Amino acid sequence: MASDSSMPANTSPEGYLRMAIPKKGRLYEKCSKILDGAGIEYKREARLDVAVCDDLGISLIFLPAGDIAKYVGEGNVDMGITGEDVVMESCVDVVTEMKLGFGKCRLCVQAQTVKNIKDASELAGGRIVTSFTNIASKYFKKFDEEKGVETKIKFVGGSVEAACGLGLADGIVDLVETGTTMRVGIVHFEVELCLLRIF
């Protein structure tokens, strides 16, 4: 099963297993170590997002970690490695084959300490900023229904923690490692990297 050298760049040969992995950063480095440990050898050409492993009939597809669950869920790739937070936010039907034991962090509702918030329900009806709008909306829905209010969820792609201090939000939903900047612990979703396949 050898790939055709005349095949266009960034394509996978017919019949090869298409496996998506994060294309850069710490997640890419961790995934590369897993692949090396499994004996999966590949050469990734500069500026290309597909590496073909002819000996094994595998094509590695390098994607932003935030896109992998969608690609798997829609059948564009056969399997992938990404975070559980990405899977939850993507709202796609995939099967988690295994948790890989790295990339652990917490997805938390947070508010500034000076606000003296003791429970996430106190933020219902307020303004929440996050890059996880689907997860946040689902989470606050029960409080909104109980209180007859509507929590306003806004998307911010980066520097989420700055939103409260700058007056954009009353609280945030974000991934945390230490939680030293904001009050942490109102609610936690433990997330880690996982291996996915189509449902």
Side-chain angles (χ1 to χ4, degrees):
M1 194 183 324
S3 60
D4 183 356
S5 60
S6 65
M7 195 172 63
N10 274 340
T11 59
S12 174
E14 186 71 33
Y16 277 40
L17 175 79
R18 297 163 300 164
M19 181 174 175
I21 65 169
K23 72 186 300 180
K24 61 183 178 179
R26 289 184 294 177
L27 299 180
Y28 165 75
E29 292 166 11
K30 293 274 192 182
C31 290
S32 290
K33 287 180 182 177
I34 288 174
L35 295 172
D36 288 343
I40 299 174
E41 297 178 7
Y42 65 94
K43 181 179 178 188
R44 184 178 176 194
E45 300 291 337
R47 302 168 64 120
L48 292 182
D49 292 328
V50 176
V52 177
C53 310
D54 284 322
D55 293 350
L56 299 172
I58 297 173
S59 292
L60 298 176
I61 316 296
F62 300 91
L63 298 170
D67 293 343
I68 291 175
K70 287 181 186 171
Y71 275 78
V72 173
E74 293 180 11
N76 302 105
V77 296
D78 302 307
M79 60 188 339
I81 298 174
T82 195
E84 290 178 301
D85 57 317
V86 172
V87 175
M88 291 187 316
E89 182 62 24
S90 297
C91 301
V92 293
D93 288 326
V94 294
V95 173
T96 300
E97 289 291 338
M98 71 173 61
K99 294 183 180 183
L100 300 177
F102 65 89
K104 288 186 181 181
C105 53
R106 292 179 313 231
L107 187 58
C108 298
V109 176
Q110 303 173 71
Q112 289 179 309
T113 306
V114 296
K115 299 285 185 182
N116 205 27
I117 302 289
K118 301 292 184 206
D119 185 80
S121 64
E122 295 176 48
L123 294 168
R127 300 165 300 147
I128 302 296
V129 167
T130 184
S131 54
F132 299 96
T133 56
N134 290 328
I135 295 171
S137 295
K138 286 178 190 173
Y139 182 78
F140 278 97
K141 183 178 180 179
K142 63 181 172 269
F143 301 129
D144 289 353
E145 289 173 354
E146 288 171 7
K147 296 181 174 196
V149 297
E150 182 181 344
T151 303
K152 292 146 206 80
I153 311 288
K154 290 185 182 179
F155 176 84
V156 173
S159 300
V160 175
E161 286 188 345
C164 291
L166 296 173
L168 183 63
D170 303 307
I172 65 172
V173 175
D174 200 17
L175 292 172
V176 296
E177 291 181 31
T178 63
T180 55
T181 309
M182 304 279 281
R183 178 183 184 88
V184 178
I186 298 170
V187 66
H188 300 284
F189 301 97
E190 294 292 331
V191 297
E192 64 181 86
L193 287 185
C194 54
L195 182 65
L196 308 173
R197 71 173 169 82
I198 301 169
F199 181 67

